[in-house]
Amino acid sequence: MPTVERERIYERADNKGWKKWGPYLSERAWGTVREDYSPYGDAWNFVTHDMARSRAYRWGEEGIGGISDNKGHICFALAFWNHKDNILKERLFGLTGPEGNHGEDVKELYYYLDSTPTHSYMKMLYKYPQQEFPYNRLVIETMRRDRQSPEFELTDTGIFEKDEYFDIFIEYAKAGLNDWLVTITAHNRSNKTAPLTMLPTIWFRNTWSWGYEQYNARPMLNGIANNQIEVNHKQLGKYKLYCENADALLFCDNDTNTERLYGRPNVAKYPKDGINNFIMSGGKKTFVNPNQIGTKASAQYTRKVPAGESVSIRLRFSDQTTMAQPFADFDEIWNKRLSEADAFYADLQKNVTDPELMAIQRQAYAGMLWNKQFYYYNVNEWLKGDPKMPVPFQGRVYARNENWRHMYTANILSMPDKWEYPWFAAWDLAFHTLTLARLDPHFAKRQLAVILREYYMHPNGQIPAYEWNFGDVNPPVHAWATWKVYEIDKEANGVGDVNFLERVFHKLLLNFTWWVNRKDVSGNNIFGGGFLGLDNIGVFDRSQPLPMGGRIEQADGTGWMAMYTLNMLRIACEISLTRPSYQDMASKFFEHFLHIASAMNNLGRQNISLWDEVDQFYYDVLHMPDNNARLLKIRSMVGLIPLFAVEILDEALLSKLPDFKRRVEWVLTNRPDLASLVSRWHEPGKGETHLLSLLRGHRMKMILKRMFDETEFLSDYGIRALSKYHEKMPYQFELNSEIFQVRYVAAESEMSMFGGNSNWRGPIWFPVNFLLIDSLLKFYQYYGDDFEVEYPTNSGQIMSVKDATVLVAQRLINIFKRDANGQVAAYGQDRKMQDDPHFQGLYLFYEYFNGDNGMGLGANHQTGWTGLVADLIEYWYKYQPQEAAVVVSK
C-alpha cells in the first residue's frame, strides 16, 4: 500500500501543489557569476561576503536553513547572534577561490538530517560557536598555507574544543500546501549559561529595483503587535507569519545600502542591513522602520540558554490569515508529518537492515532534497544590464557566456552544493537524478528534461555546462542517466514512462550530433573534449592548445561517446516496442558504435590504437605536428572509462524488433571487420543475452587486473582516479628541455589548474566509481558466474565479477561506516568529529576522498553525486557477494 507521502508525490508531476514550497533558497548568492556586473568578470570580488548583508541581489537570495516558493519571491531563513560577533550570522561564511589554498570552501558546520520529497517534513542542524566567529583567522591562516598544506577548517581553529557552541536544529512540517510549521531548538553544549538571539527572517526577493514595468509593484510586510507579520505579494497573494512569544518585530527593506557600499545616498531609508545594524548597535531604532512595514522583517527572540539545556521557538507561515489560535493544532500536525516521513522511509529502505547504513542512506537522501534550489538567470538581460542599476554599469570588457544569450532559466534545480556550487552543473545533475528517482521519479525526470529544453540547450545542440562557462564540455552522461531513471521508475511503478524517453531522446539526438560535429575533429570517430569537467589533468591541459602544437586523441572522450551510442541504442530499442519506426534509430546507433570501436583500434586507418598491447591498457594518443604519434602512458581513469561502453540486448527484446534484428545481422555478416571488434554475437551469454562492449573478455580482464590491484587503482575506499604506480614512477614528457610530469597525489591538487580545488590524480570520486560498478554489473549480466577475476589482484582470491564489483561498492560505503575502532574514514584525524557524541551519527557527503585513507575533501555538502552512496547501499543488499570466495595458491 502506498504511503501518504508517496501519494503526495504522485498528485502532480510539476513543482506545484505540495512541492510549491521547499528548501529552494540558496546558501550563497554572493561571489556568483549571476551577481557579477564587473567589467572583467571578477565574480568573487564584485559582491563579497562583507558586502552581502548590505547589497540587494538581482538574481537570487541566500540564507541559513531557508525555504521559498518555487519562483523565489518570498523567502524565509534563520539568522542568529551569539552576543560576541560583530555581525549577525545571516549567511554561511566561506573562502573565495583566490583565498583558499585549494579553492573556495565553506567554513561552517551544518548537516542536512531529514526531508521528505514534498518537504512535508525537513530537519537540519547548524553548529554555532558561542565565542566570536573566527572570520579573520580563517582567511589569514588559509592565505598563509600553500597547496602542499591541507585546508584550514573551522574545527582546526579549536573553537569547538571547550564545547562552547549551540546545536541549533531547524525543523519544518507542512500543515497544508501553503502552510508551514517551524520549530527552532537551540541546545547549549557548554557548561555555562549562554545568550543567544534568534531571528527568523522573512523577506521578498527584490524585483522592484531593476526598472521593469511588470515588477514595479512593491510587495509589503506589515507587523501586527509583536507576534504576526502580514505578507502581501502581487503574484502569491496574502500570507501571515505567526511568531509565538516573540520579543519584538523588526522591519527594514531588501534594498541596497548604497551609502555604505558606494558612498551614494540611499534610496531606501531602512536598507537591507538595517536589522543587523539594529542588533549590533544595541537597539538603535534609527536602523529599523518604527511603523513596522517593509520588505524584510525578523521576529526577535533573545534567550539565555542554561548549560546543557535547550530552548525552542515556534512559528507558522500560512495562507490562512485569520487563525485565532495558530498553534492549537501545531503538535498534532507535527507528529503526524514526522510519522508519515518515517513511514515513507521505512518503505523506501525496506531492503536495508543495518541501522547504521539506514542512517547514512537517509541523510544522503536528505542532502539530495535539501540541495534543491530556485535557479534564475536570464543571460541576455544580465549581459545588457537592467534599465536601473544600483551602481553605474558600463558594460563588460569580458562578456562571459556571450554565446548563450538564449538562456533563460527560472526553475527548481538540483544543485551540487548550495554553498560551493549554487548553480547547476550539467554532468553532476545527471548523477543526481538516479538517487532522486528513488525518492521522486517525477522530479528526477523533470531535471533531465529541463536541461535539454530550448531555453537551456544551445541551438547548436550543446548542453550548458555550468554558469562560469556554459560553453565548457562535460561528459555525455545524460542518455545514461535517462535510461537509469527510466529503469528505476519502471521498477517502482511496474510500467515505464515511454513518453519521457521519447521526449528526451529527440533532444539527445541534437546533442549527439553536436558531439559528432564539434569533437570528432578529424571525422574518424575518435573524440576529444578537453577538460570534460573531470579535472582529469593529464601531462598537458587538454582544454588549451598544446605547447608543441598537434592534438590529442582522447581515450576517455572516445569511451564516453561509445557509451553514449549504446545508451541511445538501448533507449531507441525501448521506444521501438511501442513506436516501431524507432528501430531505424536503434540501427543507426548500433552501427555508429561499431565504427567507434573500430576507430579505437585503428586511428584514421593508420594502425594506431588507443589500446597498448604491452601495458594492456588504454591511453591517450598525442599527434605531433610532424604527424608522428605516441601514446601518453598515464595509468588514469582515462583508461578505465572504455569500460562504461557496455550494453546487453536479450533475445526476447530482439524478437520484438524484427527490423532492427535483421539490420544487425546484416551488418555482422557483411562487415566481419566490425563484427570482430565486439562480442561473439552468435554465442549468447547468460540468459540468451548479447553483449555490446568496447572490451572483450581478455582486454576486460587485463583492465580489471590493474583496477583491482591495491598497488595501483584499488584503494581501501574505492577506485583511485590515478594509479598509485605513479607515486614512485611519475609519468614524464620532455619538450624543449622542459619536463612535464604527472604524479600520483592522494588528496588535493598541488597545482592551480582549474582552480586547484580538486584533481583526478589520485582521489576517489563517487560518480566514476558508480559508473564502473554499474558497468561491471552489466558485464556480469552477460557472463554470469563463469567470468571470474582475482580480487584483489595478487591476493589469490578468485570470485565472480559481480562479487568483486559489490566488494568495491562496500569499500565506498565504508568511507562513511564506522570501522572496528569506531572511526569514520571521511573524518580523518578530526577527533571532535570522530569521538564526540554530539558529532557522531552526523554525515558530510564530500566532493571527493583521499585515495589512501578515504578522508573527505573539497566541497563538504556535495550530496549531489556523493549521494550515490544511497544507491550503492541498495546495490549491496541486492547483489551481496557469496560468503566465501575461492582462494588459489600463489
Side-chain angles (χ1 to χ4, degrees):
M1 174 179 287
T3 63
V4 173
E5 177 63 16
R6 181 65 66 184
E7 289 177 344
R8 288 195 194 105
I9 293 168
Y10 284 94
E11 283 181 9
R12 56 191 304 161
D14 58 14
N15 291 312
K16 297 180 181 178
W18 275 86
K19 289 182 277 190
K20 179 179 178 179
W21 294 84
Y24 308 144
L25 189 66
S26 174
E27 287 170 355
R28 178 172 63 84
W30 63 272
T32 61
V33 167
R34 280 160 291 154
E35 298 300 331
D36 174 23
Y37 285 86
S38 65
Y40 295 96
D42 187 10
W44 280 117
N45 292 309
F46 188 74
V47 181
T48 65
H49 179 271
D50 179 66
M51 296 169 66
R53 68 178 179 274
S54 303
R55 181 181 168 102
Y57 293 122
R58 171 63 177 88
W59 298 100
E61 291 291 343
E62 66 195 3
I64 299 173
I67 61 173
S68 78
D69 64 277
N70 61 359
K71 294 300 178 184
H73 287 298
I74 300 176
C75 305
F76 174 90
L78 284 304
F80 307 103
W81 184 45
N82 58 11
H83 294 243
K84 297 286 180 63
D85 291 343
N86 60 7
I87 59 171
L88 291 181
K89 180 62 72 173
E90 290 183 275
R91 57 191 49 80
L92 299 170
F93 176 71
L95 301 187
T96 69
E99 288 174 333
N101 61 328
H102 292 289
E104 66 270 28
D105 188 35
V106 67
K107 300 300 182 185
E108 304 271 10
L109 276 181
Y110 58 105
Y111 305 85
Y112 302 124
L113 301 180
D114 210 356
S115 180
T116 59
T118 66
H119 313 295
S120 57
Y121 176 75
M122 300 195 304
K123 182 178 184 179
M124 73 164 285
L125 167 64
Y126 174 63
K127 289 182 177 286
Y128 185 33
Q130 293 171 4
Q131 297 303 316
E132 184 177 357
F133 196 89
Y135 293 105
N136 290 334
R137 187 181 174 199
L138 286 164
V139 174
I140 293 170
E141 174 61 23
T142 299
M143 295 288 281
R144 187 186 66 81
R145 296 188 176 197
D146 59 20
R147 295 196 184 280
Q148 282 67 46
S149 304
E151 292 180 344
F152 185 62
E153 303 291 6
L154 182 59
T155 51
D156 295 330
T157 67
I159 201 163
F160 293 104
E161 288 307 308
K162 296 180 180 180
D163 293 330
E164 293 178 341
Y165 69 93
F166 297 104
D167 269 340
I168 304 176
F169 291 91
I170 303 165
E171 295 179 84
Y172 298 93
K174 288 184 182 178
L177 302 186
N178 304 297
D179 193 350
W180 285 88
L181 311 180
V182 187
T183 299
I184 299 101
T185 304
H187 294 263
N188 181 358
R189 299 304 186 194
S190 77
N191 58 10
K192 297 180 292 186
T193 297
L196 176 66
T197 294
M198 294 176 279
L199 294 151
T201 303
I202 189 167
W203 71 100
F204 301 112
R205 176 165 58 85
N206 189 322
T207 57
W208 55 86
S209 293
W210 319 115
Y212 295 100
E213 185 176 345
Q214 65 268 37
Y215 293 118
N216 59 12
R218 192 180 183 97
M220 182 64 69
L221 300 171
N222 182 46
I224 303 173
N226 277 343
N227 56 23
Q228 293 184 25
I229 298 175
E230 192 174 68
V231 182
N232 290 280
H233 193 279
K234 183 178 179 180
Q235 280 81 23
L236 274 71
K238 292 186 177 182
Y239 291 80
K240 265 191 184 175
L241 179 64
Y242 299 95
C243 312
E244 186 179 50
N245 300 322
D247 302 337
L249 301 179
L250 308 173
F251 289 78
C252 63
D253 284 299
N254 188 21
D255 287 281
T256 299
N257 186 339
T258 53
E259 183 177 331
R260 174 184 178 242
L261 296 182
Y262 310 113
R264 298 173 56 191
N266 282 324
V267 175
K269 186 175 180 180
Y270 308 101
K272 179 180 176 179
D273 51 14
I275 295 170
N276 173 87
N277 296 341
F278 173 83
I279 297 293
M280 292 304 110
S281 67
K284 194 173 181 180
K285 295 182 180 180
T286 54
F287 291 116
V288 292
N289 194 322
N291 296 316
Q292 292 199 323
I293 58 173
T295 51
K296 176 182 177 182
S298 295
Q300 181 182 355
Y301 294 84
T302 298
R303 303 288 186 266
K304 289 186 177 180
V305 189
E309 297 186 21
S310 66
V311 297
S312 293
I313 62 174
R314 303 192 303 179
L315 303 99
R316 185 167 187 168
F317 174 70
S318 178
D319 59 354
Q320 299 182 45
T321 59
T322 58
M323 286 189 284
Q325 294 182 305
F327 298 96
D329 56 355
F330 192 100
D331 291 341
E332 178 185 353
I333 297 170
W334 190 274
N335 293 333
K336 186 177 181 180
R337 294 294 174 265
L338 183 55
S339 175
E340 290 166 356
D342 289 340
F344 171 79
Y345 279 108
D347 179 64
L348 188 65
Q349 298 180 296
K350 56 182 177 290
N351 297 323
V352 183
T353 57
D354 184 329
E356 186 179 11
L357 292 184
M358 291 179 72
I360 294 168
Q361 190 182 53
R362 187 158 173 175
Q363 285 187 41
Y365 285 139
M368 295 296 306
L369 294 168
W370 271 91
N371 268 321
K372 293 181 183 181
Q373 180 186 315
F374 171 65
Y375 184 82
Y376 182 37
Y377 192 14
N378 181 328
V379 177
N380 189 47
E381 283 187 359
W382 176 78
L383 285 168
K384 291 189 304 181
D386 297 311
K388 291 170 60 179
M389 301 287 286
V391 292
F393 176 56
Q394 304 299 329
R396 294 177 169 83
V397 176
Y398 168 57
R400 192 189 302 275
N401 297 320
E402 167 69 31
N403 295 325
W404 292 80
R405 287 180 177 267
H406 69 284
M407 276 196 69
Y408 186 166
T409 67
N411 302 96
I412 303 300
L413 296 177
S414 176
M415 297 294 121
D417 175 323
K418 288 199 297 186
W419 191 92
E420 189 159 335
Y421 305 104
W423 28 262
F424 78 90
W427 97 289
D428 300 56
L429 185 63
F431 293 104
H432 302 180
T433 59
L434 273 67
T435 310
L436 288 167
R438 297 184 184 278
L439 296 159
D440 182 353
H442 285 319
F443 183 74
K445 288 184 285 187
R446 282 178 63 84
Q447 294 295 286
L448 290 167
V450 75
I451 210 77
L452 300 173
R453 294 296 298 271
E454 57 277 7
Y455 45 85
Y456 280 75
M457 179 185 276
H458 198 280
N460 66 19
Q462 185 177 9
I463 295 174
Y466 45 87
E467 72 177 29
W468 286 88
N469 184 4
F470 286 131
D472 215 334
V473 183
N474 283 167
V477 291
H478 277 70
W480 170 80
T482 296
W483 178 249
K484 293 297 293 183
V485 167
Y486 174 83
E487 286 189 308
I488 293 167
D489 185 30
K490 185 177 181 179
E491 182 180 355
N493 297 294
V495 61
D497 187 351
V498 179
N499 290 332
F500 158 71
L501 273 189
E502 186 176 29
R503 178 186 181 190
V504 172
F505 183 80
H506 283 284
K507 292 300 182 71
L508 289 172
L509 278 175
L510 298 176
N511 179 246
F512 186 89
T513 303
W514 177 85
W515 271 92
V516 171
N517 290 339
R518 296 297 182 92
K519 296 303 175 181
D520 179 8
V521 175
S522 301
N524 60 7
N525 290 300
I526 296 294
F527 293 83
F531 169 45
L532 285 176
L534 301 174
D535 300 358
N536 53 343
I537 306 162
V539 66
F540 306 111
D541 181 347
R542 301 189 308 178
S543 288
Q544 302 298 324
L546 298 177
M548 78 296 286
R551 70 184 190 280
I552 292 177
E553 308 277 22
Q554 294 180 212
D556 57 340
T558 307
W560 286 119
M561 284 303 291
M563 170 184 163
Y564 200 172
T565 59
L566 292 180
N567 299 148
M568 294 293 277
L569 163 62
R570 188 63 188 88
I571 293 171
C573 286
E574 189 75 5
I575 301 173
S576 296
L577 294 174
T578 51
R579 285 96 156 152
S581 61
Y582 279 82
Q583 291 178 81
D584 289 344
M585 297 308 302
S587 299
K588 175 261 184 296
F589 284 107
F590 172 75
E591 294 186 38
H592 205 134
F593 168 74
L594 293 182
H595 288 296
I596 292 175
S598 174
M600 287 189 75
N601 288 280
N602 186 5
L603 299 186
R605 300 184 181 90
Q606 299 174 25
N607 294 317
I608 302 169
S609 174
L610 297 180
W611 174 262
D612 182 57
E613 287 293 346
V614 176
D615 288 358
Q616 298 285 292
F617 202 69
Y618 281 109
Y619 296 119
D620 287 347
V621 172
L622 172 63
H623 290 270
M624 302 290 284
D626 61 4
N627 292 323
N628 286 324
R630 62 184 286 187
L631 292 171
L632 298 175
K633 293 193 173 186
I634 304 169
R635 300 178 192 172
S636 76
M637 187 62 67
V638 166
L640 301 181
I641 285 172
L643 281 168
F644 300 165
V646 55
E647 191 51 70
I648 307 296
L649 300 177
D650 60 46
E651 277 296 318
L653 174 66
L654 290 171
S655 66
K656 298 174 183 177
L657 305 174
D659 293 343
F660 171 60
K661 183 177 182 181
R662 186 163 50 249
R663 181 62 184 172
V664 166
E665 291 176 345
W666 187 94
V667 171
L668 295 178
T669 300
N670 292 278
R671 291 294 305 270
D673 57 320
L674 297 180
S676 65
L677 296 168
V678 295
S679 67
R680 297 174 178 85
W681 187 264
H682 296 291
E683 296 179 16
K686 176 185 172 186
E688 296 295 294
T689 60
H690 299 285
L691 176 71
L692 285 171
S693 169
L694 289 177
L695 300 165
R696 288 178 288 176
H698 171 72
R699 287 189 178 181
M700 180 181 170
K701 283 197 172 185
M702 291 301 98
I703 285 184
L704 294 185
K705 184 176 181 179
R706 288 204 189 280
M707 194 172 86
F708 292 154
D709 189 336
E710 292 178 311
T711 68
E712 291 215 37
F713 286 99
L714 184 62
S715 161
D716 287 343
Y717 301 99
I719 304 300
R720 302 178 175 103
L722 183 72
S723 171
K724 197 173 173 65
Y725 165 81
H726 290 301
E727 184 174 42
K728 295 180 179 178
M729 299 291 293
Y731 176 81
Q732 295 185 334
F733 185 98
E734 185 174 354
L735 177 67
N736 299 328
S737 300
E738 183 179 357
I739 299 294
F740 296 84
Q741 78 169 17
V742 171
R743 186 174 69 86
Y744 170 81
V745 180
E748 295 97 338
S749 176
E750 296 175 343
M751 304 173 65
S752 61
M753 204 179 294
F754 299 127
N757 62 324
S758 57
N759 79 94
W760 293 69
R761 295 188 168 188
I764 294 157
W765 297 76
F766 264 74
V768 284
N769 268 264
F770 188 86
L771 277 166
L772 287 169
I773 290 166
D774 189 62
S775 299
L776 291 180
L777 289 174
K778 283 187 179 179
F779 281 108
Y780 173 73
Q781 184 183 343
Y782 175 76
Y783 286 113
D785 292 325
D786 295 336
F787 188 97
E788 294 182 321
V789 295
E790 185 181 23
Y791 178 89
T793 300
N794 299 320
S795 69
Q797 295 185 95
I798 306 300
M799 62 185 70
S800 72
V801 70
K802 183 262 290 184
D803 287 355
T805 301
V806 178
L807 288 174
V808 172
Q810 184 184 42
R811 293 186 182 218
L812 289 155
I813 294 168
N814 284 345
I815 289 173
F816 301 99
K817 188 174 171 61
R818 292 196 174 272
D819 63 19
N821 298 316
Q823 303 299 287
V824 175
Y827 293 144
Q829 298 303 310
D830 192 313
R831 300 308 341 143
K832 197 71 175 173
M833 289 188 171
Q834 295 285 14
D835 304 331
D836 191 303
H838 295 304
F839 282 75
Q840 291 178 343
L842 303 173
Y843 302 100
L844 293 174
F845 298 90
Y846 293 87
E847 185 177 0
Y848 53 105
F849 300 86
N850 186 294
D852 291 339
N853 60 35
M855 180 179 171
L857 302 166
N860 56 17
H861 288 83
Q862 192 145 347
T863 323
W865 62 27
T866 303
L868 287 166
V869 69
D871 295 73
L872 293 179
I873 291 169
E874 289 294 325
Y875 277 15
W876 171 255
Y877 280 95
K878 184 176 181 179
Y879 299 105
Q880 284 189 53
Q882 301 296 320
E883 290 187 11
V886 177
V887 179
V888 297
S889 59
K890 296 183 180 179

